[in-house]
Amino acid sequence: MATALAPRIDRSRALYERALRSLAGGVGSMARGTFAGYAPHPLYMDRGEGARIYDVDGNEYVDYLLALGPLILGHRPPAVTKAVVETIERSGSMLGTNHPLEPDLAERVVRAVPGADLVRFSNSGTEAVMMALRIARAFTGRRRIVRFEGHFHGWADAIQWSVRPPVAAAGLEHAPRPLPAAPGIPEELAETIVVLPWNRPDLLERTIRDRRSEIAAVITEPLMANNGCVEPQPGFLRAVREVTAAHDVLLIFDEVITGFRLALGGAQERYGVRADLATFAKALGAGYPISAVAGRRDVMELVARNEVPYLGTYNTSSLVVAAAIATLDELARPGTYERLHALGERLANGLRDEFRGAGIPALVQGPGPVFQLWFTETPATTYREAIAKAKPAFYAAFQQAMLRRGVLFHPSQQEHLFLSTAHTDGDVDRTLEAARGAVAEIRDRFA
Ligand SMILES: Cc1ncc(COP(=O)(O)O)c(C=O)c1O
């Protein structure tokens, strides 16, 4: 094991150089590459256990990346591993037919999630969002979807718009111009969406009032996790609910990050607002690829009657269903979320205090199980405020200084940090100790 302040990462570098020769960009997803901020190159991880992850050079890190969210129970949670191994050994990874575990899982989701009368499963968050949008358009007979600037809903052509647009090209703050997130997304799809700033109920109300005959649904992350964990302003989600209901526009909560994480019933439980449809992934499978659309009976009946076909060869494979059942049973244990929130609060307060103690304004946005650090006095409420308040170079320096001290944070301030049920007070102590050294190091550098 290399020393904490100069860990050797030679094997990671050699693997990256080798991967670049045959794997496009050297990575399995852009979120893992230098494009996402990993510098000087991404690390190669060997294994994880609980809240710790180990790279191929033998360095150990307290893990707040948690695979970008799925690992809510930490790495290799024994109950999930056991369920998966037993299922594979008994019936294989998939049968491609109905199997007895499916209703077991559906019942658990319907029981846990407010407003979920019926559910269907798929494999990724992107697929679940694609289906929710299609169902909403079919149900209302309308075409347009209202989405908020700065939110991420997966990488389908229809919705990967205005996620992190360059502000100079994105039009007026109160009436953003839809911008596709990548070349190759047909420009014509701009006609099918309306982009608005988040946390502005007045603008949403006016848009829906003026264009109600065109708008099928409003989709929102209940917590803008994908741009630094910006929280809904008090009353905002309720206002969204009221105005959509008043005009027969469906409300879709994209709970891919918040679902089964903020509470067993996700954001709908935590914020006390019920959506018509909600999408789930990540924490639902604790590391196995499963996603879901769950919602109001009359809306989901379109799927039940196959008027909107919900397809997928790999949907509800025995493997992922067994994993999700075991995950939900673990999460449903009394005290799980109380503990997760309490630990998150301790960590957030501790991190904030390390910066403030060094004379650097800081706050933590987001609830305990998912949060982000900001170096400002007041929180951002919209994407553009978040861009204006972000300090990417300072954050990146902090992330690097933490990495050298054995703590793995996401390298981008626009992302977020996750906590798992496997994290302990000892992990938090170690993190805060690392933060003390990291703050001292970068304060001098940025002074
Ligand atoms: C809110 C939200 N929706 C959808 C997605 C897409 O999920 P997936 O990567 O499983 O396709 C993500 C992924 O991070 C997300 O954060």
Side-chain angles (χ1 to χ4, degrees):
M1 167 90 190
T3 64
L5 289 183
R8 297 188 63 124
I9 52 172
D10 307 348
R11 285 190 179 156
S12 272
R13 183 163 46 252
L15 280 165
Y16 183 55
E17 284 165 3
R18 180 177 149 210
L20 280 171
R21 292 197 282 275
S22 55
L23 182 63
V27 292
S29 159
M30 71 71 80
R32 299 174 205 158
T34 49
F35 339 94
Y38 289 99
H41 55 78
L43 293 177
Y44 279 68
M45 295 299 177
D46 178 41
R47 68 195 170 85
E49 190 169 347
R52 304 294 169 107
I53 190 166
Y54 301 83
D55 72 17
V56 291
D57 288 283
N59 301 301
E60 176 184 308
Y61 307 88
V62 184
D63 187 5
Y64 294 96
L65 200 60
L66 295 176
L68 297 181
L71 304 183
I72 189 158
L73 299 173
H75 292 267
R76 288 194 287 140
V80 179
T81 306
K82 180 166 178 282
V84 165
V85 169
E86 281 178 7
T87 301
I88 294 182
E89 283 180 349
R90 195 173 48 76
S91 61
S93 67
M94 64 187 294
L95 296 160
T97 62
N98 307 320
H99 59 85
L101 296 178
E102 289 174 305
D104 282 351
L105 177 59
E107 283 160 12
R108 282 167 170 77
V109 172
V110 164
R111 206 159 48 229
V113 175
D117 300 319
L118 290 170
V119 59
R120 272 291 270 272
F121 299 100
S122 39
N123 310 284
S124 69
T126 298
E127 289 172 303
V129 169
M130 274 164 41
M131 280 312 299
L133 299 180
R134 186 185 288 180
I135 294 165
R137 288 186 168 119
F139 185 79
T140 56
R142 304 176 197 152
R143 195 166 65 117
R144 286 194 202 256
I145 303 291
V146 174
R147 57 149 298 143
F148 297 101
E149 198 172 47
H151 289 212
F152 179 58
H153 301 294
W155 41 281
D157 283 358
I159 199 69
Q160 201 190 355
W161 288 71
S162 301
V163 178
R164 287 177 187 163
V167 171
L172 298 173
E173 185 161 6
H174 68 275
R177 192 161 85 81
L179 286 178
I185 295 178
E187 289 284 345
E188 295 85 333
L189 290 172
E191 291 303 309
T192 65
I193 55 177
V194 177
V195 179
L196 290 176
W198 201 50
N199 266 330
R200 290 291 307 269
D202 52 330
L203 296 178
L204 178 67
E205 191 172 344
R206 192 188 325 145
T207 303
I208 291 185
R209 223 183 26 236
D210 292 352
R211 305 172 78 168
R212 97 171 246 194
S213 63
E214 302 168 27
I215 296 174
V218 173
I219 185 166
T220 183
E221 290 185 63
L223 165 77
M224 187 160 70
N226 282 298
N227 258 297
C229 250
V230 175
E231 299 231 40
Q233 292 291 93
F236 174 67
L237 294 176
R238 189 157 298 286
V240 177
R241 174 66 285 181
E242 280 166 13
V243 69
T244 47
H247 294 278
D248 294 328
V249 168
L250 294 187
L251 174 58
I252 304 171
F253 271 6
D254 181 351
E255 295 231 41
V256 165
I257 288 194
T258 53
F260 306 104
R261 187 182 317 278
L262 303 191
L264 193 63
Q268 299 185 75
E269 178 182 329
R270 178 170 171 90
Y271 297 118
V273 173
R274 200 170 273 210
D276 300 304
L277 289 174
T279 54
F280 300 89
K282 303 214 188 229
L284 171 58
Y288 293 83
I290 182 164
S291 64
V293 179
R296 237 169 73 182
R297 181 172 302 280
D298 57 338
V299 181
M300 288 298 291
E301 288 282 3
L302 288 186
V303 174
R305 292 195 299 268
N306 203 35
E307 285 169 36
V308 176
Y310 198 131
L311 293 158
T313 302
Y314 295 98
N315 292 359
T316 63
S317 69
S318 322
L319 172 77
V320 300
V321 174
I325 291 171
T327 302
L328 296 188
D329 287 350
E330 285 296 295
L331 291 174
R333 287 173 186 272
T336 298
Y337 292 93
E338 287 80 354
R339 207 188 136 265
L340 202 52
H341 280 272
L343 199 63
E345 205 175 313
R346 197 184 145 225
L347 176 63
N349 291 341
L351 286 171
R352 188 197 56 211
D353 292 348
E354 290 301 338
F355 282 96
R356 291 196 180 167
I360 300 165
L363 51 84
V364 170
Q365 288 191 175
V370 53
F371 61 95
Q372 185 53 292
L373 260 172
W374 285 80
F375 308 112
T376 55
E377 303 282 1
T378 53
T381 63
T382 64
Y383 167 69
R384 297 200 193 190
E385 280 180 24
I387 290 295
K389 285 173 182 279
K391 298 203 168 46
F394 185 72
Y395 179 87
F398 177 65
Q399 188 266 350
Q400 286 282 315
M402 290 296 275
L403 198 65
R404 285 193 292 277
R405 290 167 173 81
V407 178
L408 177 62
F409 277 5
H410 196 289
S412 167
Q413 196 175 21
Q414 286 176 301
E415 295 280 343
H416 34 262
L417 308 172
F418 290 106
L419 205 60
S420 75
T421 59
H423 282 79
T424 61
D425 276 311
D427 293 315
V428 169
D429 291 341
R430 182 164 154 184
T431 304
L432 296 179
E433 191 187 320
R436 195 159 312 137
V439 170
E441 180 191 318
I442 60 167
R443 181 195 48 195
D444 294 344
R445 207 163 355 125
F446 281 77

